[in-house]
Amino acid sequence: MNAVTGSPGATGPGRIMGAAALLAVEGLLIFVPAVVLGQAVNWPQGLDDPAAVTLPLVAENEAALRLGYLAYLAYSLLFLPVIAALVTVLTGPEGRLRPVARIAVILAAVSALARGVGILRWLTVMPGLAESWVGADPALRQVLSVQFQAVNDYGGGIGELLGVSALGSAAVACAVIATRELAPTWLTWLGAAVAVASALPLAGVDAGALTSVGVAAVQLWFLAAAAVLATRARRRHR
């Protein structure tokens, strides 16, 4: 069966186009935090910067920080419905019962939760530390640096390493396996490459730089899948 025209089943062009729109929104939404946080706190390359670099930036750009991380929180929570829509539409009606499709959705749900927990450190703890940093003496800044590092390591471990790299890459891998029979071959291979790229920070190297690679790869996959589904919906509508 052609991967674009689809498998037998009741999935209509409207539902397919809805899934395509959701994927496109997810693929493009990342540009909001990328631009806003990139200018405010050098995100994501600056995720591993010390307190002396990051906290002054947070204090100077708190409004932009909150806006950017709220957008990133929305993007992260949308990861669940996006994966669910993708595996539902690209596996056909019977595919929703496949264990690997269910696993993909479960992993996406836990990934979205972990990402949200990691992001919350920037909306709650970090602004307070940044406020205390301004005008603090060297002794207090030493204490704040230790607190900052502890919170950042803990939140980054949950959000970036567990949520994005481990669970996110596993969800993508399961989604690729679940959709491989109806997805175009090139989209399957692209998804496989995305799963690998998203898992790279687990190797213990620079999380900031590799987070950029993983996030960019996932966005490319989302947008490519959106284009495939939009084409499929148009052909079914004819």
Side-chain angles (χ1 to χ4, degrees), residues 26 44 46 53 64 79 91 98 112 120 130 134 140-141 158 163 170 174 211 222 224 233 236:
E26 180 77 338
V53 174
F79 185 70
T91 58
R98 294 177 183 171
L120 285 177
V134 177
L140 178 56
R141 286 188 174 182
I158 294 176
C174 288
T211 296
F222 284 151
R236 280 201 171 194

Side-chain angles (χ1 to χ4, degrees), residues 16-79:
I16 298 172
M17 187 58 76
L22 185 61
L23 283 158
V25 168
E26 180 77 338
L28 296 173
L29 182 57
I30 193 62
F31 288 105
V32 177
V35 172
V36 175
L37 294 177
Q39 294 179 349
V41 290
N42 191 32
W43 183 89
Q45 290 84 359
L47 284 171
D48 292 330
D49 285 346
V53 174
T54 301
L55 289 182
L57 293 176
V58 172
E60 294 170 9
N61 304 287
E62 184 176 343
L65 178 92
R66 292 187 180 279
L67 173 62
Y69 270 110
L70 284 173
Y72 190 44
L73 180 61
Y75 161 84
S76 298
L77 296 179
L78 275 176
F79 185 70

Side-chain angles (χ1 to χ4, degrees), residues 1-225:
M1 182 65 65
N2 185 280
V4 174
T5 57
S7 65
T11 306
R15 187 172 183 180
I16 298 172
M17 187 58 76
L22 185 61
L23 283 158
V25 168
E26 180 77 338
L28 296 173
L29 182 57
I30 193 62
F31 288 105
V32 177
V35 172
V36 175
L37 294 177
Q39 294 179 349
V41 290
N42 191 32
W43 183 89
Q45 290 84 359
L47 284 171
D48 292 330
D49 285 346
V53 174
T54 301
L55 289 182
L57 293 176
V58 172
E60 294 170 9
N61 304 287
E62 184 176 343
L65 178 92
R66 292 187 180 279
L67 173 62
Y69 270 110
L70 284 173
Y72 190 44
L73 180 61
Y75 161 84
S76 298
L77 296 179
L78 275 176
F79 185 70
L80 169 57
V82 163
I83 292 295
L86 181 65
V87 298
T88 298
V89 172
L90 273 184
T91 58
E94 72 285 354
R96 285 174 289 183
L97 301 177
R98 294 177 183 171
V100 70
R102 291 182 175 179
I103 292 172
V105 175
I106 292 171
L107 289 170
V110 185
S111 171
L113 176 61
R115 293 171 193 230
V117 171
I119 289 168
L120 285 177
R121 75 189 190 271
W122 295 102
L123 297 172
T124 56
V125 179
M126 297 308 190
L129 292 178
E131 183 178 354
S132 299
W133 182 274
V134 177
D137 58 38
L140 178 56
R141 286 188 174 182
Q142 182 63 34
V143 173
L144 293 173
S145 294
V146 173
Q147 294 175 336
F148 169 87
Q149 197 61 51
V151 172
N152 202 36
D153 288 347
Y154 180 72
I158 294 176
E160 281 86 57
L161 289 181
L162 180 61
V164 177
S165 299
L167 295 170
S169 60
V172 170
C174 288
V176 168
I177 295 171
T179 60
R180 70 188 186 281
E181 294 179 6
L182 291 177
T185 301
W186 63 266
L187 185 63
T188 298
W189 282 107
L190 176 60
V194 165
V196 173
S198 299
L200 285 176
L202 294 174
V205 289
D206 181 24
L210 288 179
T211 296
S212 300
V213 174
V215 168
V218 171
Q219 303 323 116
L220 179 61
W221 183 58
F222 284 151
L223 293 173

